């Protein structure tokens, strides 16, 4: 082995060793929080701590071994960050299960169900890494992925399997299970957007009319962004889902801007967003209510529908202060849907602003690693795909945490890896697997072409014969 090859082998082995060390810390966070929940709520260590800890450890070990074998050059930080968030989320869900049971509410097993969904997510994580050896093969499925994503968004409208839960028609019911097809659609649309923009970014980058030092795009090139704007408005009006509408439009706009490097697209996207927001506020009652609850939360505290959820969350986070009341010493049951949309309010109340900042930092690191992967990727498709996958996490975290803290109106999305929700959890594990596959391809050393030594000749070397 050459000196350079030996060095690269040493580097990637160190990378996996660093990942293993960080995973041990992540498991300590998840299992330690689970034990602290039992001590805080019941005064004893949970009886199922060994079983829970063993299951969680087995899942993380399987994921790590898979990465070590099939993606040895992959990013070493992503998997530990995801493991820590997922483990902490399981502990918070267990805390909510216990408080719901103690207050005589419906018997819930959110933590156990979430662990089951995590198991499925890790299985798909492993399958993605094993079966997808080169992310560039997905570029052949550009239009297939786009069509499949649109069909998945249409499924909730079907009369037999489509269902409406909590006012949003974003679910399908199959064999007794509820599933959000939009969570799978966001991954497929990233693949479709990446393939489309790689092929057409040169045409989309052409400048049109110049307005105030900004080159606006040509009118003939507005078709894609107008089509995505129409899809987003369809999701908002027909599915009553503000969060997904913002997510899909923001995702396409971010990828379009990076692909073309034209600020004019941000101007056009901003104008379309402003027009859509004004139209939604005027004609869609649910959006108008959310804006009113955001601007004047105390005025609608006792109304129905009202802002009680947002106000109770603010009270809880304010009571938690900097370091929180401690696991088991708060009242998270006062916040409706504390296990999904508002799980961060439970964290803020019982673990304090310090834990909330740590969680935001973890999400920031995930997005930073995704952007780093996009920067070092050797192909345009991989760059755009890594950017899109990172944008999914960034946009989702922004609209969720922004809504819970009162920065923006509530949207209804779940906090990635933390909130209860099988569809979101499984899809996000696949997102991480795709990011690891792209990073492995980007960091893997290119094959070396050793120069031929002219001083060494063999029997097959060409010989020059001189004729006298």
């Amino acid at each position: 082995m050459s000196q350079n090859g030996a060095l690269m082998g040493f580097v990637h082995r160190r990378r996996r060793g660093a990942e293993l060390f960080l995973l041990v810390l992540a498991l300590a966070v998840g299992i330690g929080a689970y034990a602290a929940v039992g001590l805080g709520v019941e005064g004893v260590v949970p009886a199922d701590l060994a079983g829970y800890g063993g299951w969680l450890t087995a899942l993380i070990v399987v994921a790590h071994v898979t990465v070590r074998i099939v993606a040895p050059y992959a990013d070493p930080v992503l998997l530990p960050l995801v493991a820590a968030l997922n483990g902490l989320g399981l502990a918070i869900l267990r805390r909510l299960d216990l408080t719901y049971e103690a207050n005589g509410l419906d018997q819930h097993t959110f933590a156990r169900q979430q662990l089951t969904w995590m198991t499925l997510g890790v299985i798909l994580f492993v399958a993605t890494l094993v079966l997808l050896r080169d992310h560039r093969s997905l570029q052949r499925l550009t239009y297939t992925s786009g069509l499949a994503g649109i069909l998945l968004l249409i499924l909730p409208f079907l009369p037999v399997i489509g269902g409406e839960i909590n006012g949003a028609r974003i679910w399908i019911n199959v064999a007794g299970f509820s599933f959000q097809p939009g969570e799978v659609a966001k991954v497929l649309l990233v693949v479709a957007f990446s393939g489309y923009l790689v092929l057409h970014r040169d045409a989309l980058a052409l400048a049109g009319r110049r307005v105030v030092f900004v080159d606006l795009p040509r009118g003939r090139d507005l078709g894609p962004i107008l089509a995505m704007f129409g899809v987003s408005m369809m999701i908002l009006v027909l599915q009553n889902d503000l969060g997904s509408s913002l997510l899909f439009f923001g995702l396409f706009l971010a990828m379009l801007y990076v692909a073309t490097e034209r600020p004019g697209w941000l101007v056009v996207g901003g104008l379309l967003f402003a027009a859509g927001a004004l139209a939604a506020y005027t004609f869609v009652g649910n959006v108008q209510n959310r804006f009113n609850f955001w601007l004047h939360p105390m005025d609608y505290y006792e109304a129905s529908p009202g802002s009680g959820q947002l106000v109770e969350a603010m009270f809880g986070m304010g009571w938690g202060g900097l370091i929180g009341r401690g696991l088991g010493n708060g009242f998270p049951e006062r916040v409706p849907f504390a296990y999904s949309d508002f799980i961060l309010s439970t964290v803020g109340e019982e673990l304090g602003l310090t834990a909330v900042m740590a969680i935001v930092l973890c999400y920031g690191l995930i997005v930073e690693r995704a952007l780093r992967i996009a920067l070092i990727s050797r192909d345009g498709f991989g760059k755009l795909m890594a950017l899109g996958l990172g944008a999914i996490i960034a946009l989702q975290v922004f609209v969720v945490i922004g809504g819970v803290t009162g920065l923006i109106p509530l949207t209804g999305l779940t906090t990635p890896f933390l909130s209860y929700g099988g569809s979101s959890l499984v899809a996000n594990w696949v997102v991480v697997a795709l990011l690891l596959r792209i990073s492995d391809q980007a960091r893997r050393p290119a094959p070396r072409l050793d120069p031929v030594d002219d001083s060494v000749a063999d029997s097959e070397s060409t010989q020059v014969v001189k004729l006298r």
Side-chain angles (χ1 to χ4, degrees):
M1 179 183 293
S2 66
Q3 183 178 0
N4 186 41
L7 178 61
M8 289 304 300
F10 175 70
V11 168
H12 86 258
R13 282 194 293 269
R14 285 188 56 188
R15 188 175 288 127
R16 299 279 68 80
E19 180 183 77
L20 180 60
F21 174 74
L22 293 175
L23 284 174
V24 172
L25 298 181
L27 285 172
V29 170
I31 299 175
Y34 193 85
V37 166
L39 291 171
V41 177
E42 300 178 318
V44 295
V45 175
D48 61 345
L49 180 63
Y52 165 80
W55 192 346
L56 184 62
T57 302
L59 291 176
I60 299 304
V61 168
V62 168
H64 170 69
V65 171
T66 303
V67 174
R68 182 179 285 268
I69 294 174
V70 302
Y73 295 93
D75 187 280
V77 181
L78 276 174
L79 184 59
L81 288 171
V82 169
L85 289 171
N86 211 158
L88 180 61
L90 289 168
I92 299 299
L93 290 175
R94 177 58 180 167
R95 189 266 178 272
L96 292 170
D97 287 341
L98 293 175
T99 197
Y100 291 149
E101 181 180 353
N103 285 278
L105 302 177
D106 294 338
Q107 184 70 31
H108 293 291
T109 56
F110 291 127
R112 184 176 296 275
Q113 294 175 25
Q114 187 78 339
L115 188 57
T116 303
W117 285 115
M118 180 184 176
T119 303
L120 179 58
V122 172
I123 291 174
L124 292 179
F125 172 89
V126 172
T128 301
L129 286 176
V130 172
L131 299 177
L132 183 65
R133 293 306 180 99
D134 191 343
H135 65 275
R136 291 171 294 186
S137 62
L138 295 176
Q139 190 171 357
R140 299 194 300 266
L141 304 175
T142 295
Y143 296 103
T144 304
S145 299
L147 178 61
I150 298 298
L151 291 177
L152 285 173
L153 293 177
I154 295 175
L155 284 181
F157 297 114
L158 298 182
V160 178
I161 61 175
E164 182 175 325
I165 299 179
N166 299 324
R169 194 175 183 84
I170 57 176
W171 302 83
I172 59 173
N173 300 302
V174 179
F177 293 94
S178 296
F179 188 77
Q180 285 183 271
E183 295 292 339
V184 180
K186 68 184 182 183
V187 181
L188 294 175
L189 289 178
V190 166
V191 176
F193 294 161
S194 302
Y196 176 82
L197 291 173
V198 164
L199 294 176
H200 298 91
R201 60 182 171 185
D202 291 337
L204 295 173
L206 295 176
R209 187 181 299 274
R210 188 175 182 85
V211 179
V212 194
F213 307 108
V214 177
D215 293 324
L216 297 178
R218 300 181 303 174
R220 72 187 72 174
D221 298 327
L222 295 178
I225 195 171
L226 291 177
M228 199 60 224
F229 176 73
V231 171
S232 300
M233 293 302 296
M234 179 195 72
I235 295 173
L236 174 61
V237 175
L238 300 181
Q239 294 187 346
N240 200 20
D241 185 11
L242 176 61
S244 296
S245 176
L246 291 174
L247 176 64
F248 288 125
F249 185 69
L251 170 65
F252 181 74
L253 183 60
M255 295 180 67
L256 180 60
Y257 169 65
V258 172
T260 61
E261 301 180 9
R262 288 293 184 184
W265 285 114
L266 295 181
V267 175
V268 173
L271 292 175
L272 289 175
F273 174 79
L278 179 61
Y281 180 82
T282 304
F283 300 106
V284 183
N286 179 53
V287 175
Q288 191 175 64
N289 288 338
R290 294 195 180 196
F291 268 90
N292 291 334
F293 300 160
W294 170 54
L295 294 174
H296 312 286
M298 299 306 300
D299 295 345
Y300 297 91
Y301 176 60
E302 296 182 348
S304 181
S307 59
Q309 184 185 33
L310 178 60
V311 173
E312 290 291 348
M314 290 182 173
F315 286 161
M317 289 187 290
W319 192 48
L322 186 63
I323 59 175
R325 314 304 299 183
L327 287 171
N329 296 319
F331 299 94
E333 68 276 8
R334 293 181 60 89
V335 181
F337 302 105
Y339 54 89
S340 58
D341 299 10
F342 275 74
I343 195 169
L344 199 72
S345 67
T346 303
V347 176
E349 180 178 358
E350 301 202 340
L351 297 179
L353 179 63
T354 303
V356 173
M357 292 175 63
I359 289 173
V360 174
L361 179 61
C362 287
Y363 285 123
L365 287 174
I366 291 175
V367 176
E368 183 271 335
R369 303 310 290 190
L371 296 180
R372 180 186 292 269
I373 292 169
L375 284 173
I376 66 175
S377 180
R378 300 189 185 106
D379 62 290
F381 178 76
K383 287 180 180 293
L384 287 175
M385 190 172 172
L387 169 78
L389 296 173
I392 287 177
I393 303 295
L395 290 170
Q396 198 164 340
V397 169
F398 172 74
V399 297
V400 172
I401 296 181
V404 172
T405 57
L407 179 64
I408 60 175
L410 292 173
T411 57
L413 292 175
T414 58
T415 314
F417 303 107
L418 203 64
S419 299
Y420 174 76
S423 310
S424 176
L425 184 61
V426 171
N428 286 324
W429 271 101
V430 174
V431 166
V432 174
L434 292 173
L435 284 172
L436 289 177
R437 173 52 67 207
I438 299 172
S439 68
D440 175 71
Q441 193 75 25
R443 297 170 186 266
R444 189 179 295 273
R448 298 179 67 246
L449 299 177
D450 296 327
V452 178
D453 190 353
D454 295 335
S455 63
V456 178
D458 54 20
S459 59
E460 297 179 359
S461 300
T462 301
Q463 298 181 3
V464 178
V465 178
K466 295 182 178 181
L467 300 177
R468 295 183 181 272

